[in-house]
Amino acid sequence: QSALTQPPSASGSPGQSVTISCTGTSSDVGGYNYVSWYQQHPGKAPKLMIFDVSKRPSGVPDRFSGSKSGNMASLTVSGLRAEDEAVYYCSSYAGSNNVLFGGGTKLTVL
Amino acid sequence: EVQLVESGGDLVQPGRSLRLSCAASGFIFGDYAMHWVRQPPGKGLEWVSGISWNGDGIGYADSVKGRFTISRDNALYLQMNSLRPEDTAFYYCAKDLTPLIGLTGFDLWGQGTLVTVSS
């Protein structure tokens, strides 16, 4: 059980798009379409932004989108806004009732 | 109101035990898998354990296997034994979108309870 790999930081200017990657293996990200993404602001609990690779829960803006290719999943935030500045975590089912998280990516809106 | 409320966090000495609880309200608790996720202060999230809607499916992170036990009845619990300093973290209770472990995402989180393991 190794954590999924995310870049520690990402940044973009308001209105721009930014993509955060999440790399796993064929035993987790590549093996299942059960990748989710979470947003966490300082001092707050995580919030589900994307599930099942690309589905958005009710209330999440369509500026947030997810995709997957092979062992790598991605979260794209379009039309960046100041309130998007947060830490983003990916997660994947890893078989046998196990779940993995990525190390987190701090998104800075310049 | 739909919410999860954790309790039981405390300062404990290495080697001791602690039991966390998570009370759910506003949804049919028995219809969903539930999880514990921890976060050391200033660090990232780590999935700890999950249990399916009926308790038949249970999983643990390697880091806690053999020391922690998850269970549920009308609430969710985490029995933590042989605690280590590296177990120090905020422990979140989280609701799965489905009855089975990990097959989607966690759509409801509590505010967390702090466990500090130190002599």
Side-chain angles (χ1 to χ4, degrees), chain A residues 1 32 34-36 38 40 43-48 50-52 57 89 91-93 96-104, chain B residues 35 37 39 43-47 50 56-63 65 92 97 101-107 109-111:
Chain A
Q1 291 181 350
Y32 306 93
Y34 299 132
V35 175
S36 51
Y38 301 86
Q40 188 178 35
K44 300 294 187 181
K47 175 185 176 183
L48 180 65
I50 296 287
F51 67 97
D52 289 359
Y89 295 92
S91 176
S92 175
Y93 183 64
S96 301
N97 291 330
N98 286 298
V99 176
L100 291 175
F101 277 94
Chain B
H35 302 263
V37 178
Q39 185 172 37
K43 297 190 177 181
L45 301 173
E46 179 189 17
W47 177 81
D56 282 355
I58 287 178
Y60 297 98
D62 286 346
S63 58
K65 202 170 292 183
Y92 292 101
L97 276 164
I101 295 172
L103 299 186
T104 53
F106 307 163
D107 68 330
W109 296 65
Q111 284 306 302

Side-chain angles (χ1 to χ4, degrees), chain B:
Chain B
E1 183 183 1
V2 177
Q3 64 177 359
L4 297 169
V5 179
E6 303 94 338
S7 60
D10 204 351
L11 168 64
V12 294
Q13 293 180 328
R16 304 298 290 265
S17 298
L18 200 62
R19 189 194 198 205
L20 304 183
S21 299
C22 171
S25 59
F27 65 97
I28 303 174
F29 179 72
D31 280 356
Y32 301 95
M34 297 294 296
H35 302 263
W36 289 99
V37 178
R38 68 184 181 184
Q39 185 172 37
K43 297 190 177 181
L45 301 173
E46 179 189 17
W47 177 81
V48 173
S49 181
I51 185 167
S52 64
W53 68 283
N54 61 358
D56 282 355
I58 287 178
Y60 297 98
D62 286 346
S63 58
V64 306
K65 202 170 292 183
R67 299 187 299 123
F68 290 11
T69 302
I70 191 172
S71 62
R72 65 186 299 166
D73 47 32
N74 293 319
L76 180 69
Y77 307 99
L78 187 67
Q79 177 66 42
M80 304 185 293
N81 298 332
S82 303
L83 282 162
R84 305 167 179 170
E86 55 264 37
D87 295 320
T88 295
F90 288 95
Y91 283 73
Y92 292 101
C93 166
K95 168 188 169 290
D96 207 305
L97 276 164
T98 76
L100 302 178
I101 295 172
L103 299 186
T104 53
F106 307 163
D107 68 330
L108 180 66
W109 296 65
Q111 284 306 302
T113 186
L114 180 61
V115 173
T116 303
V117 184
S118 174
S119 54

Side-chain angles (χ1 to χ4, degrees), chain A residues 60-108:
Chain A
V60 172
D62 60 5
R63 301 184 296 103
F64 291 85
S65 62
S67 63
K68 190 187 87 167
S69 178
N71 297 336
M72 189 173 77
S74 299
L75 172 73
T76 298
V77 186
S78 305
L80 271 175
R81 303 176 65 159
E83 59 261 37
D84 297 334
E85 185 162 296
V87 180
Y88 291 83
Y89 295 92
C90 64
S91 176
S92 175
Y93 183 64
S96 301
N97 291 330
N98 286 298
V99 176
L100 291 175
F101 277 94
T105 298
K106 180 173 173 54
L107 175 59
T108 300

